[in-house]
Amino acid sequence: MKTSIYFRRNWQLYALLLLPMIYFIIFKYGPMYGVQIAFKDFNFFQGITGSEWIGLDAFREVFQNQGFYTALRNTLVLNLLDLLVSFPAPLILAILLFELKKAWFKKLAQTLLYIPHFISWVIIGGIVLQVFGTQSGFINNILMSMGFDPLPFLSDKNYWLFTYLAVGVWQSAGWGTILYLASLTGINRELYEAAEVDGASRLRRIWHISLPGIKTTIVTLLIINVGNMISIGFDRPFIIGNVAVREYSDVLSTFVYRVGLQSGQVTLATAVGLFQALVGLVFILGANYTSKKLTDESIM
Amino acid sequence: MSENTANRIFNTVNVILIIITMVLCLAPFIHIIAISLSSNRAIGSGEVSFFPKELSFEAYSKVFADGSMIRSLIYTVWLTVLSTVLSMAMTIAAAYPLAKSNLKGRKWFMLVIVVTMFFSGGIIPEYILIKNLHLLDSTWGLILPGLISPFYMIILITFFRGIPESLEEAAGIDGSSHFGTLMRIILPLSLPVMATLSLFYAVGRWNGFQDALMYITKPELYPLQLKLYQMIQQNQITELMQNEGIGAVQVLPESLKAASVIFSTLPILLVYPWLQRYFISGVMVGAVKG
């Protein structure tokens, strides 16, 4: 009767777990149950169980849909460009911050650099209009006062791409330094001192001690980023994007929202969402596997 | 060039680079503040950069006179406080038992939770669930779906694990129940990580926008972000159409938009410095995986 003693002693732990588990089952597994909509001719009046099965018809429709391919391409391209631009930024910034000598200045810098991370995309969207707007944006005002033509940062596809990436760096670079700074702090100070005695310059020390010291962190974060290649947040492309640049700004998450909730093609949108979730799962598991192999460190 | 000079040059260049980055981080805010405090004429002619021109508080008085902005702010504060408190309570309730490695069935509970980090039903099934639960156009529709973040829960589990077990054992010998130990020993020791996670939950709810966009149609239930979105973006669309010569539609003055942006940002910026010192340690705890 060991178990009954165990439960008498520990029932409170299970009582604590009860509500959280109910939460996960209703709000996380509930939608997973709803995934079957992708295989049904869903109709709001008949509900999930009442709607007819249609097999893989929705997926056939998805793979014939031009908008889907555009959204898929944009998701991958925007993430890839973001990786190229936004990934190195916090790394460089962290190394610069780490080399700062005055503690108060370092703290002040960190405080200010973290702020953009806490600002909502809606607000950033407002700021972007004021800074990059064609008619009265700050940057274009400067350009025009210097006699140049204004640049269509928000309404031309290629300029928009620049805006999207620049805003991403601005929002995330400072916050991204935290993990790098944490692992930089973990490097043995004696290594730096020994190198100094050997006459290694600051740059050499960065190259030969700091960078190798945080290699694991860099690789792990890179792998996580690659693992998230197909998943993309909704807010940023939705808010920075607009009708004029939809050809570049429509990504899978905004496509699902537009097709499913605005045009009411619920089955089609669920199928796209399921496709994205499954491919994303494969990417993430692959990334985790790679990370385990390369760095002995798993994300999970 | 002596080593000392090289060192000095390095430091100077480094400080300059950091200062430039700091300025780049802050400049957009300063510009928006300047816009919000300038006259429409000065903004229209492109004279405003980092200092207000022809100082005017008209935009702010409009924001305050409107009433709906204030109401939305109060509603959002309430929504944020309520959902942060509930989220923290639920996260603690999940993390405390799961931090105990001898908890029977722990592996299964963890599996059920961790699976949700890697696979989700997607927004359409979520929308249908919320609709079926009659949570559309209700505050609960904005609170319940995001109640627990598995990621924050794991941070908390890791933190709880770091608390010496002997403390709990001593309390157990003194006859303290699990509830008692949690309330009297564990929670008081966890204030920094609690502050961090509360800040993250609060910022997440304060900034949350997509759920409100999908689930809320009643204007009196618009959180601030949705209200702001409608104000700014609808405007952008009309502006784009004007550029292409499609109809002349009423466009809100820039100063009013800027004032609304500042109005919605201020609460976060006021809370942030107070909690800032906590969250770095909190994130570190999370970085060391559980």
Side-chain angles (χ1 to χ4, degrees):
Chain A
M1 281 293 94
K2 254 188 179 162
T3 18
S4 79
I5 295 174
Y6 172 82
F7 281 109
R8 206 170 309 144
R9 206 171 275 164
N10 294 307
W11 66 272
Q12 291 186 333
L13 296 177
Y14 293 92
L16 279 170
L17 264 176
L18 187 68
L19 277 179
M21 290 320 283
I22 292 176
Y23 159 77
F24 278 104
I25 287 163
I26 294 179
F27 287 100
K28 298 291 159 185
Y29 286 87
M32 289 190 204
Y33 169 80
V35 157
Q36 53 178 295
I37 292 166
F39 306 98
K40 288 193 162 188
D41 183 16
F42 183 77
N43 170 323
F44 271 106
F45 298 104
Q46 286 157 337
I48 295 178
T49 33
S51 298
E52 299 256 343
W53 289 99
I54 51 164
L56 293 174
D57 283 4
F59 287 91
R60 269 178 219 124
E61 203 182 322
V62 166
F63 294 122
Q64 281 164 8
N65 187 314
Q66 194 49 52
F68 164 74
Y69 286 106
T70 309
L72 180 63
R73 179 203 67 188
N74 291 344
T75 305
L76 295 173
V77 169
L78 289 183
N79 276 336
L80 190 69
L81 291 176
D82 219 21
L83 187 67
L84 292 177
V85 182
S86 296
F87 186 76
L91 175 61
I92 297 166
L93 202 53
I95 286 175
L96 293 181
L97 280 171
F98 186 68
E99 295 290 331
L100 287 178
K101 290 288 164 247
K102 295 215 165 41
W104 67 266
F105 182 67
K106 193 169 165 179
K107 242 193 198 127
L108 174 73
Q110 280 178 283
T111 307
L112 294 183
L113 297 183
Y114 293 158
I115 287 179
H117 173 81
F118 290 95
I119 304 301
S120 80
W121 280 106
V122 175
I123 288 171
I124 293 178
I127 295 177
V128 163
L129 275 185
Q130 305 272 8
V131 173
F132 290 100
T134 315
Q135 296 292 304
S136 53
F138 178 51
I139 295 179
N140 276 322
N141 279 340
I142 295 176
L143 285 177
M144 284 191 283
S145 71
M146 295 191 319
F148 294 103
D149 283 335
L151 298 174
F153 286 110
L154 297 170
S155 47
D156 175 87
K157 291 180 299 194
N158 296 312
Y159 283 99
W160 179 83
L161 222 48
F162 164 80
T163 313
Y164 178 88
L165 295 172
V167 174
V169 173
W170 180 77
Q171 195 255 359
S172 65
W175 184 248
T177 60
I178 284 195
L179 286 179
Y180 292 122
L181 281 172
S183 51
L184 280 168
T185 324
I187 298 175
N188 189 347
R189 296 297 313 175
E190 284 172 23
L191 289 175
Y192 288 100
E193 282 154 23
E196 206 176 342
V197 173
D198 289 346
S201 70
R202 292 279 285 278
L203 288 174
R204 286 202 90 85
R205 274 178 264 164
I206 291 175
W207 186 254
H208 290 292
I209 303 173
S210 298
L211 278 177
I214 57 173
K215 203 182 78 193
T216 329
T217 312
I218 301 174
V219 173
T220 313
L221 288 178
L222 186 67
I223 291 170
I224 295 178
N225 267 302
V226 173
N228 283 327
M229 217 19 113
I230 193 146
S231 64
I232 190 164
F234 174 84
D235 289 9
R236 181 174 165 204
F238 183 75
I239 282 163
I240 311 283
N242 59 60
V243 195
V245 295
R246 180 174 290 165
E247 198 189 324
Y248 279 11
S249 71
D250 198 24
V251 293
L252 288 171
S253 54
T254 54
F255 178 78
V256 169
Y257 169 75
R258 198 158 47 80
V259 170
L261 294 184
Q262 288 188 324
S263 325
Q265 300 180 42
V266 178
T267 298
L268 183 72
T270 309
V272 174
L274 180 59
F275 168 84
Q276 189 184 11
L278 287 175
V279 176
L281 188 66
V282 172
F283 269 68
I284 276 284
L285 293 180
N288 192 57
Y289 178 79
T290 319
S291 161
K292 232 181 222 165
K293 280 266 134 124
L294 284 180
T295 64
D296 235 17
E297 198 138 342
S298 75
I299 308 157
M300 281 184 226
Chain B
M1 187 164 61
S2 83
E3 204 177 307
N4 240 331
T5 343
N7 218 353
R8 210 167 300 145
I9 292 173
F10 181 95
N11 283 335
T12 317
V13 171
N14 191 10
V15 168
I16 290 172
L17 285 177
I18 295 287
I19 288 176
I20 291 174
T21 324
M22 281 158 70
V23 169
L24 283 177
C25 272
L26 277 193
F29 292 108
I30 297 171
H31 174 62
I32 299 277
I33 293 173
I35 291 276
S36 71
L37 289 170
S38 298
S39 75
N40 283 320
R41 193 208 60 78
I43 301 166
S45 56
E47 292 165 25
V48 184
S49 49
F50 295 118
F51 296 99
K53 272 262 165 69
E54 299 168 16
L55 192 69
S56 142
F57 294 96
E58 203 196 338
Y60 285 97
S61 63
K62 264 194 191 145
V63 169
F64 282 97
D66 179 7
S68 73
M69 218 46 192
I70 304 274
R71 237 178 299 129
S72 188
L73 176 82
I74 294 170
Y75 172 65
T76 312
V77 168
W78 181 76
L79 175 69
T80 304
V81 170
L82 183 65
S83 71
T84 305
V85 169
L86 291 176
S87 285
M88 283 310 289
M90 290 284 272
T91 309
I92 294 166
Y96 179 64
L98 292 173
K100 300 192 174 298
S101 39
N102 57 357
L103 182 87
K104 283 192 176 152
R106 176 178 184 279
K107 227 173 63 186
W108 295 106
F109 292 125
M110 280 308 280
L111 186 71
V112 167
I113 294 171
V114 169
V115 163
T116 66
M117 292 173 81
F118 297 97
F119 186 78
S120 78
I123 65 165
I124 305 292
E126 262 167 50
Y127 175 85
I128 288 167
L129 176 77
I130 299 302
K131 188 179 157 64
N132 289 342
L133 294 174
H134 300 287
L135 291 175
L136 289 183
D137 269 328
S138 103
T139 303
W140 293 107
L142 298 179
I143 293 179
L144 293 177
L147 213 47
I148 305 179
S149 148
F151 181 65
Y152 298 165
M153 187 198 75
I154 289 174
I155 292 185
L156 198 55
I157 289 178
T158 315
F159 186 87
F160 283 163
R161 289 237 164 125
I163 297 175
E165 236 172 275
S166 50
L167 275 175
E168 281 184 66
E169 277 163 19
I173 291 165
D174 290 346
S176 169
S177 67
H178 286 301
F179 287 149
T181 314
L182 174 62
M183 299 307 279
R184 279 194 302 270
I185 302 197
I186 305 296
L187 291 187
L189 286 173
S190 316
L191 288 180
V193 75
M194 296 294 160
T196 310
L197 296 186
S198 302
L199 174 72
F200 288 168
Y201 273 126
V203 169
R205 183 58 271 166
W206 184 269
N207 286 344
F209 159 72
Q210 189 188 2
D211 52 355
L213 179 71
M214 297 193 311
Y215 303 152
I216 303 293
T217 52
K218 275 193 204 149
E220 64 267 28
L221 289 179
Y222 279 1
L224 207 49
Q225 306 295 337
L226 185 57
K227 194 152 174 56
L228 197 64
Y229 168 76
Q230 303 219 316
M231 194 172 170
I232 292 167
Q233 298 286 328
Q234 307 293 37
N235 234 253
Q236 185 198 7
I237 292 166
T238 51
E239 219 166 297
L240 278 171
M241 292 197 312
Q242 273 182 333
N243 287 352
E244 283 156 29
I246 312 169
V249 203
Q250 177 68 38
V251 172
L252 291 177
E254 298 298 314
S255 59
L256 189 59
K257 284 192 266 177
S260 309
V261 165
I262 295 303
F263 179 79
S264 327
T265 316
L266 221 51
I268 285 272
L269 291 185
L270 291 179
V271 181
Y272 167 80
W274 303 101
L275 289 166
Q276 205 245 131
R277 66 193 177 104
Y278 290 122
F279 66 62
I280 297 177
S281 58
V283 172
M284 301 298 196
V285 172
V288 188
K289 320 162 285 111

